[in-house]
Structure formats: structure tokens, C-alpha cells
Amino acid sequence: MAEYGKTARDVAPAVVVVGRQFTVPYAVNLTLTSTGGLFSPNDLYKVKDANSDVVFKVKGFFFSSRCLLLNAAGNPLLTMKPKAFSWHETWRVFRGDSTNSKDLLFSVRKHKIFQWKDNFDVVLATNTDQAARCDFKIISRSKKCTICIGQTDEIIAQMHRKTAFFARDKLEITVNPNEDFAFIVSLIVILEEMEANRHQSSAEGLVSEPSHSCGFMPLRRQQRVEDINNMYEHDMEQ
């Protein structure tokens, strides 16, 4: 269950969704990169702090869209799973490695079924009023993502995508003081997985419309392209 702690925010006290150990009284800078490849498909992402120390890892599963957020020691913190047959592209997040409804922490869904820009609502499991406003909102614009409190403009975290010609993209995440940075990382991972699923569906001809967050290739898609290029170069050298 979410807890409330001290904060310098103007709108509401900070919410601890994952754990109080993931809140600190200063801004946290993190970097998310893709780690998976043809020979390690279950390793999806890693998250490092400003000292380049691994803070989180994200692992996937064969034949499943479910993924786990792990701490540096490899212990499961969250299970992130898309809801089947959801018009809102809803993802549900559970505590630990559970997918039991009693362990549900929050859900992420598109603000509207049909929307030109990627806006998402985050609803905590403790918010049982279906008509109530969201607890957080995500505004995704191409290479930038902003996370705010509810329907306000109070920013608690931001993500910027750093692109390079000869290297994979990096997602640079800044989390405000006293905010749950494990919670923020899980939101960024879900957005990236949504984008990867859209690209895969487009490649397979399952959807005709392009991704709304155009202008970049998801990290996991970049990893697959890089692996194929490396295999091609290796074959050419033989």
C-alpha cells in the first residue's frame, strides 16, 4: 500500500509506491539502456546511477510480454504486465514477482483510446473510484517524457532520450527529491515496452498506423538491429 512522506512539492505529499528505500532528499539522475540481444533475450534493460553503478535490471520472459524490475542484487521488485484486449493499452504493475490482484500497486493506461499525442494516466490500486481522476499523468513527446501529479502541472520526474549515430540511445531520467525513483523507472520501462510492441506490430503488419511517439527507435529494437549487423559483419570476416 502506498505511503506518504515529507516533500517540498506544492500540490501533495510524495507517494511511496514501491518502497521508502527508493526515496532520497535530493534529485536522482539515472540512465536506462538496453541490454538484451539475440543471445540474452531475457535481459531487457539496466539502469545506472550517476556513478555508473547498476541500480536496477529489467528481465523479460519467453513467449510473454511480462517483465520484472529487479534491484541490483537481482531480487524482484515489480512485475509489469500488459492487460489483454485493452483498448487503452493498459499495463498493470504488481509487487514482487506476483500477478495476483491483491498485490496490484498501480495501472498505466492511455488517457484516451484515440489520441494524437501520447498521454497516459497512472492510477494507484488504492484509488478504487473508477470515475476519479488519475493519481499521476505521463506526457510523452518524441524524445522527452514528463511525469506530473494527477491533473496538475507539478513535475516530479522527466526523461530525455539521448541519441547517437554510432551507439544505442540512452534514456536520461531525473527524479525530483523525495520521489520514489523505482516507481518512476517502472513507468519509463512501460512506455518503452509499449513503443517496442507498436514497432513490432507495425513490422508484422498487425497495425496500419505509425507510432505516435515518432522520431526514434525503441531501445530494444535498436538492440536487435545492432545484433543483426554484428552477425552480418562477423560472417563477412569469415
Side-chain angles (χ1 to χ4, degrees):
M1 181 176 295
E3 303 174 30
Y4 291 84
K6 295 181 180 179
T7 178
R9 299 194 300 181
D10 296 328
V11 176
V15 179
V16 180
V17 180
V18 182
R20 192 168 296 281
Q21 67 271 32
F22 303 114
T23 62
V24 290
Y26 49 85
V28 175
N29 295 309
L30 303 168
T31 302
L32 186 149
T33 56
S34 173
T35 56
L38 292 177
F39 303 106
S40 56
N42 288 348
D43 298 327
L44 302 183
Y45 309 101
K46 63 182 176 182
V47 181
K48 294 183 177 182
D49 61 16
N51 297 319
S52 296
D53 295 325
V54 175
V55 182
F56 302 113
K57 304 173 186 176
V58 180
K59 290 189 174 292
F61 298 87
F62 282 113
F63 308 111
S64 175
S65 298
R66 178 168 60 102
C67 51
L68 285 176
L69 179 68
L70 313 171
N71 63 13
N75 300 316
L77 299 173
L78 298 174
T79 296
M80 298 164 281
K81 183 179 180 182
K83 185 178 180 181
F85 310 112
S86 171
W87 287 100
H88 284 272
E89 288 188 72
T90 301
W91 279 65
R92 294 183 292 185
V93 181
F94 305 83
R95 186 172 297 282
D97 57 1
S98 172
T99 55
N100 193 304
S101 58
K102 67 179 179 64
D103 295 314
L104 179 67
L105 290 178
F106 62 92
S107 300
V108 181
R109 65 194 182 203
K110 289 198 300 185
H111 181 64
K112 296 179 180 179
I113 296 177
F114 301 106
Q115 54 184 21
W116 290 105
K117 297 180 180 180
D118 272 345
N119 295 328
F120 299 91
D121 296 337
V122 182
V123 181
L124 298 178
T126 53
N127 186 350
T128 57
D129 185 358
Q130 295 295 324
R133 293 183 175 182
C134 61
D135 298 288
F136 301 90
K137 68 177 179 182
I138 306 172
I139 304 170
S140 182
R141 298 290 184 271
S142 186
K143 298 181 181 181
K144 180 180 179 180
C145 168
T146 302
I147 301 172
C148 301
I149 304 170
Q151 297 298 317
T152 74
D153 294 325
E154 186 81 7
I155 297 173
I156 62 171
Q158 289 185 307
M159 180 274 287
H160 292 84
R161 181 180 296 268
K162 296 296 183 180
T163 59
F165 288 108
F166 302 105
R168 275 173 276 162
D169 292 357
K170 295 181 179 180
L171 306 188
E172 296 185 349
I173 306 168
T174 300
V175 185
N176 285 4
N178 300 308
E179 304 296 344
D180 189 333
F181 57 86
F183 168 60
I184 299 299
V185 166
S186 70
L187 298 181
I188 301 300
V189 169
I190 289 173
L191 293 186
E192 196 66 19
E193 284 298 288
M194 283 183 175
E195 196 65 31
N197 290 341
R198 290 173 182 174
H199 273 251
Q200 181 177 353
S201 297
S202 296
E204 295 173 351
L206 298 180
V207 295
S208 57
E209 66 181 66
S211 166
H212 298 299
S213 300
C214 58
F216 68 88
M217 183 181 292
L219 296 182
R220 285 215 284 139
R221 190 79 174 175
Q222 290 181 5
Q223 177 67 58
R224 294 193 187 100
V225 172
E226 183 176 303
D227 289 336
I228 293 172
N229 289 339
N230 289 340
M231 292 181 64
Y232 176 78
E233 293 175 358
H234 177 75
D235 291 341
M236 294 293 292
E237 292 173 356
Q238 298 299 318

